[in-house]
Amino acid sequence: MLKNAMSHLLGARRSREPQRALTTGTVQLPLPPALSASLGCDAVGVPSRYGFRLMSHLPRTGCVFADADRWWWIVPAGSDLDLDWPAQAAYAKGARVPAVRPRLIHQPDNRTPYTPPIPLFLMVCQITGVTPSWASSGGARAVSAP
């Protein structure tokens, strides 16, 4: 897995260029056309110094993009609900990221582009030295407690 990521990072070409937003200074991360993103897409970015460590410890990794500053993991839309991502992580709705020329460095073997958000959240918390924290939703529970 790391060998594959390294070869992509060091010289493989992208299948498509990221689409630049004209006014916001962000780019839309382009998923490979063969992958199904039926749950929508958001992205979680971490400083590049944590990239290989995260990738090597996650049980399953979806699409990962990288530029000089950050590595971006594709997660299902809404993966920020009730999770307090550490300050060093950047959460980008719609996979529109503030990046300069991000490249696809890892593509999963299956047809889904997603990295499971809970293991990613826990690993990001661990490597940044932050205690995992879940936000209180404040809503009614579906099953009442005895």
Side-chain angles (χ1 to χ4, degrees), residues 126-138:
Q126 183 178 9
I127 66 170
T128 58
V130 174
T131 302
S133 172
W134 284 262
S136 172
S137 63

Side-chain angles (χ1 to χ4, degrees), residues 27-75:
V27 295
Q28 174 75 42
L29 296 176
L31 296 181
L35 299 181
S36 171
S38 58
L39 299 175
C41 289
D42 288 347
V44 176
V46 297
S48 59
R49 68 181 174 273
Y50 299 133
F52 282 116
R53 185 171 174 200
L54 268 174
M55 191 177 289
S56 67
H57 286 88
L58 286 169
R60 191 174 75 72
T61 304
C63 288
V64 179
F65 292 83
D67 67 2
D69 298 326
R70 289 195 176 272
W71 283 32
W72 296 93
W73 274 261
I74 298 297
V75 295

Side-chain angles (χ1 to χ4, degrees), residues 14 16-20 26-30 64-68 70-72 95 97-105:
R14 293 172 292 205
R16 299 187 320 199
E17 286 288 320
Q19 300 172 359
R20 268 208 187 275
T26 62
V27 295
Q28 174 75 42
L29 296 176
V64 179
F65 292 83
D67 67 2
R70 289 195 176 272
W71 283 32
W72 296 93
V97 302
V100 178
R101 300 172 56 146
R103 295 187 297 163
L104 179 66
I105 61 167

Side-chain angles (χ1 to χ4, degrees), residues 82-93:
D82 296 335
L83 294 178
D84 291 329
W85 288 91
Q88 292 182 13
Y91 193 90
K93 292 184 183 279

